[in-house]
Amino acid sequence: MLNNTRIRQLAGVALCLTAVALPAHAGKTLDTIKSRGELVCGVNVALAGFSAADSEGKWSGLDVDYCKALAAAILSDANKVKYVPLNAQQRFTALQSGEIDILSRNTTWTLTRDASLGANFVGTIYYDGQGFMVKKELKIASAKELNGATVCTQSGTTTEKNLTDYARANKLDIKPLVFEKNEAATGAYHSGRCEAYTTDASGLAAERTIAKNPDEHLILPEIISKEPLGPLVRRGDDEFFAISKWVLNALIEGEEYGLTQANLDEKKTSDDPNIQRILGTAEDMGTLLGLDKEWAYRALKATGNYGEIFERNVGKNSPLKLERGLNKLWNQGGILYAPPIR
């Protein structure tokens, strides 16, 4: 005869097993996206390598590719995305108000933002850090030589506070010149109103590529902050949060297991259980997300894995020519790590 303690233990195990087996219920955001037939993605107005539109209105960039992968997973079509360009001040309000489904706009994950915006960060899509750019003619080789300098930056970002913290910690008299729009901040830098421009190092590289004479500008060696950039979704819809999170994880895991746009169909015959789970050829992992079994296959087919996305948009073969650095996979010397799809 079972005692009460044992009965409760067995009931708990049964409850856990039931929870694991249950498919996800479609959340309201997922229902809206499917009904609309389109994912609405908030992106940067123009940041080379991350989100920018060409003369024909075609969007590209690392943040844009994530939206394409998400649309492919949900709607089976990477082109079913409406891109809403947002500046730093607009981005959080657009998400909170429901104007966009997801914000994929080089946004730094911080405690304040995580706890006070009514939003959840999906994960880190790019590990960055704040730096400085100066004109070579000034012969400044280090950020610690900026004492007395005026530094241009944008308001509504983490960069303004980081700049103040760095100046105080290093006893530097730095005069911030703050602008609401990034275009105004960079314009002031190029016109000589300030000796330096500060933002994320990736943003500095992007700005240098579009400068009139890129070789006239130097990105200083100091990185003064941690800037883990990632997409955000509204709180209150756990189902859509889970989908958004696992699409990003699938892009990272795809690289780890050597899954590329070119070899995905060939890999469908793989005996590797990890690959089988990702591509949906064995266990159906999509049911747990409220999707079908080929959700990750479609995401990877649309954009390629994380490494392909990185190299195409910001890597050494792109105009930005950024090194992978911290954004290498965890088993290749970086810190990029995704929980397993299993």
Side-chain angles (χ1 to χ4, degrees), residues 256-288:
E256 185 172 341
Y257 289 103
L259 301 174
T260 68
Q261 273 183 309
N263 71 15
L264 275 183
D265 292 316
E266 174 190 338
K267 291 289 187 178
K268 279 192 169 185
T269 61
S270 173
D271 293 328
D272 186 328
N274 296 294
I275 292 175
Q276 291 176 345
R277 281 190 291 268
I278 295 170
L279 299 184
T281 57
E283 299 175 60
D284 182 357
M285 308 305 292
T287 300
L288 299 173

Side-chain angles (χ1 to χ4, degrees), residues 143-148 166-175:
K144 293 185 179 178
E145 297 175 24
L146 291 173
N147 190 42
Y166 180 77
R168 183 182 298 118
N170 290 278
K171 296 180 172 54
L172 299 174
D173 178 21
I174 291 178
K175 302 174 182 65

